[in-house]
Amino acid sequence: MKILLTGAGGQIGHDLIGSLSAAGHSVTSTDLAPRPPSHAHASGAAWLGLDVTDAAATEALFEKVKPDLVFHLAAILSARGEKDPKLAYDVNQTGTWNVLEACRKAGVSRLIFTSSIAVFGPPPSGPLPDPTPDDVALHPTTMYGVTKVAGELLCAYYTKKFNVDCRGVRFPGLISAAMPGGGSSDYALFMYVDAVRKGGYDAFARNDTRIPLMYMPDGVRALLELAMADRERLTRSIYNIAAFSPRADEIAASVQRAIPEAKFTYSPDPRRQSILDSWPKSLDDSAARRDWGWKPKYDLDAMTDDLVPRVRRMLELGAILSTH
Ligand code: SER
């Protein structure tokens, strides 16, 4: 299959390109930035510059590549988006519109949209239900969340109106052996990275912070399974998916199983903490389980066992790359 990725240089692209190439697909990776050194493993896949805020360039590229399937990953995440809401609006809102229009005009039949737990926020009537189901009133508190809600609605609209089969998942915070960029859930990954490289981490979140998290191999598999699911089986456009929802200090305890000397402290950053506190504590993903057989493989400790050696290799490789 001919597959195109936007935002391929990010944390999801890093793992998704590898899985798609390994499955024998022809992959065109696009990003504003050149291929990062961390993506050298995907050097077989084409890498093209693309700014999704540029409608004409997006349309021309989609027309030229004519992909069968698009994974739209380009986005400014929640914490960075609060520093520059206009940039988040341009990339996430206008960019998604441009990608949908480019799909429509180039006759792309299927588009995968990556939404997020950031679409949720506390309703005026009280806290979010725990677990939070797919269909609750959406009250996002960040520009990132606002644009993801709009993207979800556009996705359903284009499916119905223009037959661009757009479907997506609401990702929990994703954890992998790749540096994240500008997310509020990044504390969880830094508990691993800094435990390996510095022997501990001073988290920007409270010790009792609890949000839905997922290990990237499960996240990538969810994208692939949803992308390949029969349309007839899908009862909705966008699905909650869940894996585990530990408190920050439970992540610390899991890391300490692998690195007993690691020390963790908590110095909550008010801005990022308030974003984290606005998100669900856990998600109800029963519709995804029912419609397309979604099931996570990794729990917290299984992730820790797999991730710690990978983080070690990533840091060694980074050190090698930076000295050459
Ligand atoms: N991980 C993202 C963030 O923190 C949420 O989708 O912004």
Side-chain angles (χ1 to χ4, degrees):
M1 210 183 242
K2 232 195 291 175
I3 298 180
L4 185 144
L5 275 58
T6 69
Q11 194 195 356
I12 299 175
H14 178 271
D15 285 35
L16 181 59
I17 299 169
S19 291
L20 293 172
S21 301
H25 296 295
S26 150
V27 183
T28 302
S29 299
T30 73
D31 201 285
L32 190 58
R35 188 198 307 272
S38 56
H39 287 47
H41 66 290
S43 54
W47 192 280
L48 301 174
L50 177 65
D51 176 357
V52 292
T53 68
D54 181 338
T58 307
E59 284 172 22
L61 194 131
F62 279 43
E63 194 56 55
K64 188 167 138 226
V65 176
K66 289 234 173 260
D68 306 303
L69 171 66
V70 171
F71 289 91
H72 177 35
L73 310 175
I76 302 294
L77 296 187
S78 60
R80 181 154 173 236
E82 289 314 282
K83 286 198 181 129
D84 192 345
K86 181 175 185 312
L87 178 68
Y89 187 90
D90 289 346
V91 174
N92 303 355
Q93 181 76 57
T94 309
T96 295
W97 165 265
N98 290 342
V99 166
L100 282 160
E101 277 293 276
C103 285
R104 179 177 74 79
K105 290 181 181 166
V108 176
S109 53
R110 193 165 293 181
L111 171 65
I112 307 303
F113 181 65
T114 43
S115 191
S116 160
I117 47 172
V119 298
F120 298 108
S125 53
L128 282 163
D130 183 21
T132 301
D134 288 294
D135 290 313
V136 290
L138 299 176
H139 293 275
T141 61
T142 60
M143 181 57 87
Y144 174 69
V146 168
T147 57
K148 287 293 180 188
V149 172
E152 290 189 354
L153 296 173
L154 284 169
C155 203
Y157 180 84
Y158 270 71
T159 303
K160 207 165 152 210
K161 179 105 176 174
F162 298 122
N163 220 18
V164 175
D165 178 348
C166 183
R167 43 181 84 174
V169 291
R170 288 180 181 143
F171 271 131
L174 287 168
I175 301 181
S176 65
M179 284 298 184
S184 304
S185 58
D186 293 358
Y187 69 93
L189 176 53
F190 282 118
M191 294 180 92
Y192 290 86
V193 174
D194 281 5
V196 172
R197 69 177 169 187
K198 296 182 185 163
Y201 177 56
D202 183 30
F204 61 74
R206 275 193 324 267
N207 66 332
D208 66 348
T209 304
R210 187 160 77 87
I211 61 163
L213 295 172
M214 180 176 287
Y215 191 32
M216 187 64 86
D218 274 337
V220 164
R221 193 168 48 78
L223 288 179
L224 298 177
E225 287 176 4
L226 178 62
M228 300 307 162
D230 287 341
R231 181 82 237 176
E232 301 73 63
R233 289 170 55 203
L234 304 182
T235 57
R236 48 190 310 116
S237 307
I238 306 292
Y239 289 87
N240 284 357
I241 53 169
F244 44 86
S245 278
R247 287 166 45 121
D249 52 12
E250 289 168 345
I251 304 173
S254 184
V255 176
Q256 282 162 337
R257 284 173 60 251
I259 311 170
E261 64 282 8
K263 301 255 178 306
F264 294 95
T265 49
Y266 303 89
S267 307
D269 164 54
R271 282 191 354 186
R272 281 180 290 187
Q273 185 68 56
S274 79
I275 295 174
L276 292 164
D277 288 342
S278 76
W279 289 348
K281 298 201 179 314
S282 68
L283 293 178
D284 174 350
D285 62 356
S286 47
R289 287 174 183 257
R290 180 196 64 218
D291 286 4
W292 44 280
W294 160 248
K295 196 169 188 283
K297 286 193 179 148
Y298 289 88
D299 63 13
L300 176 63
D301 286 341
M303 175 179 78
T304 301
D305 293 345
D306 194 73
L307 181 58
V308 169
R310 285 180 194 276
V311 169
R312 285 208 174 96
R313 280 202 295 280
M314 174 185 79
L315 294 172
E316 280 161 17
L317 184 68
I320 292 165
L321 289 171
S322 63
T323 54
H324 281 66

